[in-house]
Amino acid sequence: MALIRRLFTAALVAGVLSGTAASVVQQATTVPLILEAEKYEVVTPPPAAATATTAAPAASDHAAHGAPVRQLGEAVPESAEEAFQRLWLTVASNLLTGVGYALLLAGVMLLVGERVDARRGLLWGVGGFVAFALSPSFGLPPELPGMAGADLEARQLWWLAAALCAGGGLLAVAFARNRALVAAGVVLAALPHLVGAPHPESPEGAFPPELAAHFVAVSLGGAALFWALLGAVCGAMMSRVVGSADDGDA
């Protein structure tokens, strides 16, 4: 029971710290890009481009329901209440994600049974970044709100397969002593990418390409910081847990 309690404590501390850091970084990097992207997400065509049979009735519907009629690239007004709601939802999501990933990372550390510390935990964090952020991004890069995408369930299943296969492959490369298992791990990590990620038939959209590319870059940079901090703190906390388990076995 004491071992489980220390495991949860280590995961809680690492998850809260990494989730808080991720929230701060996102407020300075990805959130401004999301707000910028919302200018292109839902727009009403200008009257000059409207046709008598399609666009004109849509504009009248907006007016009838009191919805604002915006032009492409027009800023979306956001109240203080909406900004606060966006902030606390982001922070809560990052904290829950951090604790969940920390529990997963700490559990795998415990199962492997290797000695860990902050430095080795950082390497575990790098592995987590590769498995859960970098590898899936080769097939499904981070997307801005409103971007065209394939079926949500298909994307979620592919992302999960890519992350699990990459994680299993990394564990095989790092800890397997048999060359065949190492080779199998490499093939396993590449398998989802060989199958291919689901993509929409018409990926075109109103987003400037540089905005989407910038979002991908800062999202992966924030994920790298998140996983580095998560791994280092989790490794430092888990050094006592793994050490206690080894001492108990002795």
Side-chain angles (χ1 to χ4, degrees):
M1 183 63 68
L3 180 63
I4 300 299
R5 185 170 59 251
R6 286 194 293 268
L7 176 67
F8 273 90
T9 301
L12 182 63
V13 172
V16 169
L17 288 178
S18 58
T20 302
S23 300
V24 173
V25 171
Q26 286 175 358
Q27 291 303 309
T29 56
T30 58
V31 170
L33 295 178
I34 292 174
L35 294 176
E36 179 68 20
E38 288 179 350
K39 299 178 183 180
Y40 304 89
E41 185 177 3
V42 179
V43 296
T44 300
T51 64
T53 58
T54 56
S60 64
D61 289 342
H62 277 268
H65 290 84
V69 178
R70 297 194 292 109
Q71 305 298 326
L72 184 65
E74 183 180 345
V76 183
E78 186 178 43
S79 66
E81 182 180 355
E82 291 174 335
F84 178 76
Q85 184 179 26
R86 183 195 296 266
L87 174 61
W88 80 260
L89 285 176
T90 299
V91 173
S93 175
N94 286 333
L95 291 178
L96 290 175
T97 300
V99 173
Y101 277 135
L103 282 171
L104 176 63
L105 192 63
V108 176
M109 286 179 178
L110 190 61
L111 288 175
V112 170
E114 297 284 338
R115 286 281 183 177
V116 291
D117 51 25
R119 183 178 62 83
R120 294 182 181 180
L122 179 60
L123 295 178
W124 279 92
V126 171
F129 167 72
V130 172
F132 291 95
L134 187 60
S135 177
S137 71
F138 283 114
L140 293 175
E143 298 177 349
L144 286 164
M147 293 183 67
D151 179 69
L152 178 61
E153 184 177 352
R155 284 183 290 160
Q156 290 175 334
L157 289 175
W158 187 91
W159 183 94
L160 182 61
L164 293 179
C165 289
L170 287 173
L171 288 175
V173 171
F175 298 107
R177 299 293 182 262
N178 189 301
R179 292 184 179 180
L181 290 178
V182 173
V186 173
V187 173
L188 179 66
L191 185 59
H193 301 278
L194 296 177
V195 173
H199 291 287
E201 296 180 0
S202 301
E204 297 83 5
F207 295 93
E210 60 273 14
L211 181 64
H214 190 193
F215 183 75
V216 172
V218 297
S219 295
L220 290 177
L225 176 63
F226 168 83
W227 278 103
L229 182 59
L230 180 70
V233 176
C234 198
M237 298 290 294
M238 286 295 295
S239 62
R240 302 177 182 179
V241 177
V242 175
S244 298
D246 292 341
D247 294 340
D249 292 339

